[in-house]
Amino acid sequence: TLRGQRRWAAGLRQGGGITGAITWTQYAKVVAWLRYAATQPEPLIAKGDDDLLAVPQMLSAYAQLLVEMSAAAADGGTPADLYAGVFEWYSWKPAGFHAKAWGRTRVATSVLAGVDLGPNSACDVYTCNCSANGGGWSWDGWELREAPPRDTNPATAAAETCVGPQAFAKGPLKFISTRAVRWLVRSDRFRADTRYAEQLLGDAPSGSSAFAAEMGMSTSAWAAELSRRREARRASGERPHLSEDAQWGYWMAPHPTLHLVHFMKFVAWLDLPRPLHDDTNRLPRLLSIHKLP
């Protein structure tokens, strides 16, 4: 849409080019919001897009139901951690912050459903050689094997490292237990990714001395390495976007006891413009409407 094109152009002018967050500043605000949410006493948080209208009564009903589900699945009196929304699937390339190999279902993103085992240049938004350990898969002429694991720290990972697939809750509206948010902001992936994002995409000094020291490099050497990575990212032909939704899925994937609660898309939310008369039987239970003009 024209609105979307204007927002995308504005993001590029500001140096961010990050979809979902659109600009680095907006991405940083989401990170700060997560850290703030982790300090709150409420048992559940929700995040919605700015063009979403939630029905207050249904929002309250969903929240109450999720709190009750969390209590019902309690382990030793501790409520279960929930992550709820309309889920799809992506894989993640840590070094460049790229979401790859999208699918509406887990089966659609499996290694037997069109994953490209060829050169990394063939990797695109729909197909990529990804695996849970980041090493991908290899074919020896007889059988398909998961390749040895790769380093997934974003600051040191190889460009072709691709982790996944993992489920992510789509952006219009998603819920997550506050306990799960607390786990998230303390997790290794969140800490490593958000610090590296400041270097690669954000406003941190290109030669941050503290980060350079952690990398075992001089400030000037780290600045040169960052410049090389940024140029490689621009020249790769991959979308210069950072999918906030996909990164949430990547961050939450290692949670050892997380429960995913799947919402029905056209009940939890529907997009406009859309002929509402097609869904009149669902409108009384509709939670939210997305892409309002």
Side-chain angles (χ1 to χ4, degrees):
T1 64
L2 180 59
R3 175 171 171 257
Q5 291 169 354
R6 286 172 176 164
R7 293 175 71 190
W8 170 237
L12 288 179
R13 287 195 298 271
Q14 294 177 41
I18 303 172
T19 289
I22 304 298
T23 67
W24 159 252
T25 301
Q26 289 175 318
Y27 174 72
K29 286 178 181 177
V30 172
V31 170
W33 177 78
L34 285 168
R35 289 174 175 148
Y36 170 78
T39 68
Q40 300 308 298
E42 287 77 17
L44 188 73
I45 68 167
K47 180 180 180 298
D49 285 356
D50 60 4
D51 57 351
L52 178 116
L53 173 66
V55 179
Q57 295 88 340
M58 293 305 296
L59 186 64
S60 176
Y62 269 72
Q64 182 62 37
L65 177 61
L66 289 171
V67 170
E68 292 174 0
M69 291 175 67
S70 177
D75 181 11
T78 301
D81 289 355
L82 305 181
Y83 179 31
V86 175
F87 284 91
E88 293 180 354
W89 295 77
Y90 252 137
S91 291
W92 188 257
K93 296 182 73 175
F97 285 4
H98 288 116
K100 315 301 296 185
W102 171 84
R104 291 192 185 278
T105 65
R106 174 64 181 83
V107 172
T109 60
S110 74
V111 71
L112 299 179
V115 171
D116 191 339
L117 300 181
N120 191 54
S121 60
C123 183
D124 62 30
V125 67
Y126 298 111
T127 177
C128 193
N129 188 4
C130 310
S131 67
N133 67 18
W137 300 82
S138 61
W139 172 253
D140 62 8
W142 182 254
E143 61 183 343
L144 195 65
R145 296 178 181 272
E146 190 171 8
R150 290 178 178 267
D151 175 18
T152 58
N153 184 300
T156 54
E160 63 269 22
T161 299
C162 186
V163 183
Q166 51 262 323
F168 69 96
K170 295 192 69 173
L173 184 62
K174 53 199 171 198
F175 296 80
I176 186 169
S177 301
T178 307
R179 280 176 42 85
V181 179
R182 293 175 187 140
W183 175 92
L184 168 63
V185 299
R186 293 193 299 264
S187 68
D188 291 341
R189 283 187 178 179
F190 180 86
R191 288 176 172 176
D193 283 5
T194 53
R195 291 192 67 228
Y196 181 60
E198 294 175 4
Q199 300 284 316
L200 185 68
L201 305 169
D203 300 324
S206 61
S208 171
S209 57
F211 207 100
E214 292 178 22
M215 296 292 294
M217 304 170 70
S218 68
T219 300
S220 59
W222 176 238
E225 174 63 12
L226 271 179
S227 179
R228 183 193 67 78
R229 292 185 182 206
R230 288 168 179 153
E231 182 56 36
R233 198 167 185 269
R234 284 191 293 267
S236 67
E238 297 182 281
R239 299 181 306 165
H241 302 23
L242 196 159
S243 170
E244 173 195 317
D245 299 346
Q247 192 171 34
W248 272 43
Y250 172 70
W251 285 338
M252 297 306 301
H255 191 300
T257 60
L258 189 67
H259 295 245
L260 302 187
V261 181
H262 294 254
F263 293 168
M264 293 178 63
K265 179 176 179 180
F266 299 115
V267 174
W269 53 266
L270 59 83
D271 288 339
L272 289 178
R274 181 183 176 86
L276 292 180
H277 60 81
D278 288 347
D279 297 280
T280 51
N281 61 320
R282 295 175 178 172
L283 284 178
R285 295 175 290 154
L286 185 64
L287 170 60
S288 58
I289 300 174
H290 183 223
K291 297 182 180 178
L292 286 173

